[in-house]
Amino acid sequence: MEDAFYWVVFACLCLPVAGLVWSQGVGNLVDDTPASRAFRNNYLLVYCLQMLGDWLQGPYVYALYEKYGYSPAEIGQLFIAGFGSSLVVGTFVGALADKLGRRTAGLAYVVTYSLSCVTKHSPRFGVLMLGRVLGGVATSLLYSAFESWLVSEHFRRGFSEQALGQTFSWAVFLGNGLMAIAAGFFGDALVEKLGLGRVAPFDAAIVFMLAGGAVMLATWPENYGDKGSKNIAVQFERAWEAIRADPAIALLGGMQSLFEASMYSFVFLWTMALSPNGEAIKHGLIFVNFMTACMAGSFLAGVLMKHARPERFMRGVYLVAAAAMAVPMLLALDTRKDPSLKGAPLTGRGRAQLLAFCVFEACVGVFWPAMMAMRANYVPEELRATIINIFRVPLNAFVCVVLGNVEAVPLAGMFGLCVAFLGISFACQLRLDALPQRAYHRTSTDDGGEEEGKAAAAGGGAAAAAAH
């Protein structure tokens, strides 16, 4: 009976997902020609295999370090190493992806993350630290190289901008939602049911990532960003110039950094918020509810993008997300502890926060495909991976600060920062909406120049017309 609330929430989340899939499913896809369908399915297969490998690791990283006997402070150092490497080294891998090829960068992700998983077999702190550094670099590749390859290849084949938005929506729905849920159940089976130990999910992750890499190697053509610049410094100089010259790019980068900072902070804070007195919460079922809410949001984004440009509905998403984070912020103002609740089931206060967190996760599901679609419209193709990773610098810096001070700042203050960041994101979106509307996709020519994609402009114009 203690699990009943979790399952009721899960059922309530599944109903809208099922309804959206039934009414707005594959049969209503834009550009559903055999060529576009084959291209979309190929990308989704690769992306889902890579995300499954990523999600398999998440629930067991902390638990594995704990099993090896490391203290919370030492585990915190390992996590900081991951975000720190993404902050420093990861910034440059985006530029390398644009210069050396996005498919090559995707394959580098497979190798780098697989090596990171191999290090989990060693209990030595130095080896585990190396694994976290490799994992940080791999994460930067995962969230830049694959998107950059997709955008370039999608428009090169003449598919519309609306079709790209729906591909992003399916990628988040399947890769960030369904694969996360599947990874939770599969990892639990490996560790608990089969008794293979906490390192087993990392070995399974290698298998899935290598399978995705094999499909990439066999079916993906290579594409590049800026091949004209002679070195990485020139690449960064051009990226910074693009950010300074185009306020839309700067605003998109600000929204990306602020929203993701709130999201990653939430990842570290939700356990403390739901069990302030040491309540015996069900982490697995909570994780499934979060991912189901994210799935619902990602599919909702695909429906919305059929009828409106993302700029039109993202204002509401930021406001709803801020309201959801305000719930735990206000509840955390009461810092009284009740020792009698230690080991008890989720309390009424915890249930209210769980519902608010599910609303926030739904907003995360809408955010990802919408942000990807806006970046495809505004960010120069030849600098895409470089610019995306530049805006990950403030994100990773903030997360490192949070990890280093999570016990020093009150929980209400942490959630208050999340609310503030989401409010600033809303302001950035308002400012972006006030800029002259542009609906185009810039692609690289052989000599490194830019040209406007006619199909993208047509698709963007249709979306803008639907929005009004």
Side-chain angles (χ1 to χ4, degrees), residues 98-238:
D98 284 331
K99 282 183 63 65
L100 303 179
R102 280 72 177 268
R103 186 188 73 158
T104 300
L107 293 172
Y109 159 81
V110 173
V111 174
T112 306
Y113 221 176
S114 296
L115 290 174
S116 175
C117 291
V118 171
T119 64
K120 300 300 187 292
H121 282 273
S122 172
R124 296 176 59 185
F125 190 83
V127 175
L128 295 173
M129 181 70 75
L130 174 62
R132 290 300 301 173
V133 171
L134 291 173
V137 175
T139 300
S140 292
L141 288 168
L142 176 62
Y143 289 108
S144 59
F146 289 89
E147 176 185 335
S148 298
W149 181 91
L150 171 64
V151 172
S152 178
E153 195 64 21
H154 179 96
F155 286 110
R156 188 187 71 79
R157 300 188 184 203
F159 303 138
S160 73
E161 185 180 4
Q162 282 183 303
L164 177 64
Q166 288 185 313
T167 300
F168 283 141
S169 178
W170 275 104
V172 176
F173 177 81
L174 297 173
N176 293 40
L178 191 61
M179 290 302 102
I181 295 173
F185 287 124
F186 185 52
D188 181 72
L190 292 174
V191 176
E192 303 295 339
K193 304 295 190 300
L194 299 178
L196 298 178
R198 295 177 184 178
V199 78
F202 297 92
D203 294 334
I206 296 175
V207 175
F208 288 114
M209 290 187 293
L210 288 177
V215 177
M216 289 172 57
L217 194 61
T219 62
W220 283 23
E222 186 63 277
N223 65 51
Y224 301 87
D226 181 14
K227 296 187 291 183
S229 62
K230 301 300 182 182
N231 54 52
I232 297 298
V234 174
Q235 184 83 349
F236 273 102
E237 183 179 348
R238 293 194 62 197

Side-chain angles (χ1 to χ4, degrees), residues 232-271:
I232 297 298
V234 174
Q235 184 83 349
F236 273 102
E237 183 179 348
R238 293 194 62 197
W240 274 113
E241 174 150 354
I243 294 170
R244 289 195 303 267
D246 191 342
I249 298 175
L251 289 168
L252 283 174
M255 288 185 281
Q256 171 189 319
S257 296
L258 291 166
F259 189 94
E260 290 189 40
S262 300
M263 181 183 69
Y264 283 113
S265 299
F266 159 75
V267 168
F268 295 111
L269 298 175
W270 69 263
T271 299

